[in-house]
Amino acid sequence: MEPTISKEILQHTGNGVFYLDKAENLLQPLIDRYAGKVDLIYLDPPFGTGDHFKMKLPQGKKQITVPAYSDSLTGEAYVAWMTDILKASHQLLSPSGSIYVHIDYRMSAKLRLVLDEVFGEKSFMNEIIWSYKTGGRSTRYYPRKHDTILFYRKSNKVHFNIAAVGKPRGAMRRNHMKRFVDENGKVGFSIRSGGKVYTYYEDTPTYPTDVWTDIEHLQQKDRERVGYATQKPELLLERIIRASSKEGSLVMDLFSGSGTTAAVCARLGRRFIAADASPFALYCLKDRLLKIAEKQTLDDMPGRIDSGPLTIEYTNAGLLGEAPKTACAAVRIAPAGPDWIVTVEDAVTDTANPVVSIALGNRDGDTFHTVFCDRLPRFPVTHRIRPLETPVLELTDTLGRTVFVPVSLP
């Protein structure tokens, strides 16, 4: 009989929580738990395109296309939906907290008005233009080559540290400045303006303005890509997170998607709350955190990440899809001293939908403690682990269906 699992825990993969559910369903539970405690919220919601987006996963020399998310809401329904989310975001933020809403031309003007109403016009910080070169061309209008990021604060106690995202000026001369070398051998530049002389050195920091042209959109073959539609680059989130949070701060992303926010938080020592309704958003999140931790087996000493576990809350387990009735796995366990050598010979849900992820763990009531994960497994898969009391194998297929299969003890 398939075990009922409502929570999954992966040790040493970052200090965060992922909720598998739609953002609108989570608002009140999140407020009950985190009201006034969140330091930074980044929202990259659907843009109101009316489209359906896919994700591509490699399978040998081919690719598997799986559903990512549906961007079906438009017009007044979209604005009403986002208004509820933004009102909840205001309650969730701490007095020093801030919110970045990432959107494009379709809804930026409408959401600016909603943010003015919810946060107050005086709480507006910036309308950030993220300009990029990728995308299509048009002769019917000027090609659209930017997104808009609306930046608001909760109060005038907001934490914002632009020095955290400064970069050295470098050796390039700007604005007709004169180059010089001072008595200490440092290279600098000077310019006279309004009767004053302004001097800068190569290592003098410069700070980003509200037009970001220095962060490239991800290319198709970028090593950072995970195959998820509309993935944002880590450099973009790194700038936001560094400027508007501190190490140990709590960062929230209610549209986790490709998992960029959580991955950057894990690298920078921030705690995170992520949510998404797509099982493949969860797939991406696990995959990225495991790669950062540089490990698949999780029951030994931590890798690069040792700040805490990733906790997954299956608050809407129905999103995992109806468990396939034909799911099964061939698992062989061989004692090896105090440990086990576990070999997963094969695992299937049904013949038409290949397994794209497996995980072995220990079941404790309704909680699954992951011991090892394998993304896009090539069978047989073998790991050395410590013995388990109630071993369970987690299988996810190309439809996003997840099933937990009990494993017989040796």
Side-chain angles (χ1 to χ4, degrees), residues 1-5 331 333 340 342 359-371 385-394 404-410:
M1 181 178 178
E2 179 193 344
T4 300
I5 302 294
V331 182
I333 299 174
W340 285 352
V342 177
L360 182 72
N362 197 62
R363 179 172 63 86
D364 180 10
D366 63 352
T367 301
F368 178 66
H369 295 270
T370 304
V371 172
I385 65 169
R386 297 189 180 98
L388 304 177
E389 293 183 3
T390 315
V392 172
L393 191 68
E394 176 191 63
F404 294 91
V405 180
V407 173
S408 299
L409 290 170

Side-chain angles (χ1 to χ4, degrees), residues 40 100 126 128 151 159-169 203-212 214-215 234-246 264 268 270:
L40 169 63
Y100 291 72
N126 286 107
I128 299 164
F151 174 29
H159 170 80
F160 179 70
N161 180 18
I162 199 169
V165 291
K167 295 182 178 180
R169 294 182 65 86
D203 58 355
T204 301
T206 61
Y207 305 118
T209 67
D210 60 358
V211 179
W212 296 356
D214 59 328
I215 299 175
E234 289 192 12
L235 284 176
L236 185 74
L237 271 298
E238 185 169 331
R239 177 171 292 172
I240 290 170
I241 290 168
R242 284 189 184 277
S244 292
S245 70
K246 306 174 185 177
V264 174
L268 299 182
R270 273 64 167 177

Side-chain angles (χ1 to χ4, degrees), residues 24-297:
E24 59 268 31
N25 295 341
L26 292 167
L27 299 181
Q28 192 56 54
L30 288 174
I31 289 170
D32 292 342
R33 186 171 180 181
Y34 297 106
K37 297 178 181 179
V38 180
D39 301 298
L40 169 63
I41 296 176
Y42 170 79
L43 298 180
D44 180 16
F47 286 2
T49 64
D51 296 331
H52 300 277
F53 292 87
K54 305 287 186 180
M55 177 181 174
K56 294 181 179 180
L57 297 173
Q59 188 183 44
K61 295 182 179 180
K62 299 180 180 180
Q63 285 187 326
I64 305 171
T65 300
V66 299
Y69 67 93
S70 177
D71 186 2
S72 56
L73 284 180
T74 58
E76 292 182 3
Y78 181 96
V79 174
W81 172 65
M82 281 301 299
T83 298
D84 289 342
I85 291 170
L86 293 174
K87 286 180 177 178
S89 297
H90 187 272
Q91 294 184 62
L92 287 162
L93 284 173
S94 67
S96 62
S98 56
I99 184 170
Y100 291 72
V101 181
H102 191 141
I103 204 70
D104 72 357
Y105 66 91
R106 296 174 182 86
M107 293 293 173
S108 60
K110 295 178 181 179
L111 291 190
R112 173 76 183 268
L113 293 175
V114 175
L115 284 160
D116 279 347
E117 179 183 345
V118 173
F119 284 79
E121 292 183 35
K122 292 183 178 179
S123 291
F124 169 76
M125 297 282 281
N126 286 107
E127 180 183 54
I128 299 164
I129 301 301
W130 175 39
S131 178
Y132 43 79
K133 297 177 182 178
T134 56
R137 301 288 177 181
S138 177
T139 56
R140 295 186 296 113
Y141 46 78
Y142 296 111
R144 293 159 180 156
K145 297 293 181 181
H146 80 273
D147 289 355
T148 301
I149 304 174
L150 300 172
F151 174 29
Y152 280 72
R153 67 190 183 191
K154 174 74 174 280
S155 75
N156 58 10
K157 298 178 181 179
V158 64
H159 170 80
F160 179 70
N161 180 18
I162 199 169
V165 291
K167 295 182 178 180
R169 294 182 65 86
M172 185 178 69
R173 189 173 69 177
R174 299 172 176 84
N175 299 330
H176 308 288
M177 288 183 171
K178 293 182 179 180
R179 184 179 183 276
F180 68 90
V181 180
D182 69 10
E183 63 275 12
N184 297 315
K186 291 183 64 175
V187 176
F189 304 90
S190 66
I191 189 170
R192 181 179 291 274
S193 177
K196 295 182 178 180
V197 176
Y198 296 90
T199 301
Y200 305 94
Y201 287 92
E202 284 183 323
D203 58 355
T204 301
T206 61
Y207 305 118
T209 67
D210 60 358
V211 179
W212 296 356
T213 59
D214 59 328
I215 299 175
E216 293 291 336
H217 204 280
L218 291 177
Q219 305 298 322
Q220 288 298 321
K221 294 186 178 181
D222 198 297
R223 292 180 63 185
E224 194 178 306
R225 271 204 176 274
V226 297
Y228 200 92
T230 67
Q231 179 181 346
K232 302 304 184 292
E234 289 192 12
L235 284 176
L236 185 74
L237 271 298
E238 185 169 331
R239 177 171 292 172
I240 290 170
I241 290 168
R242 284 189 184 277
S244 292
S245 70
K246 306 174 185 177
E247 189 169 348
S249 292
L250 182 59
V251 180
M252 179 177 285
D253 183 347
L254 297 178
F255 303 96
S256 180
S258 64
T260 302
T261 302
V264 174
C265 284
R267 282 199 295 105
L268 299 182
R270 273 64 167 177
R271 298 172 295 135
F272 64 84
I273 300 165
D276 206 287
S278 170
F280 286 105
L282 174 56
Y283 175 96
C284 290
L285 180 74
K286 286 183 181 180
D287 192 44
R288 294 180 79 160
L289 294 180
L290 287 165
K291 285 178 179 176
I292 294 171
E294 294 183 336
K295 62 202 300 96
Q296 288 178 306
T297 303

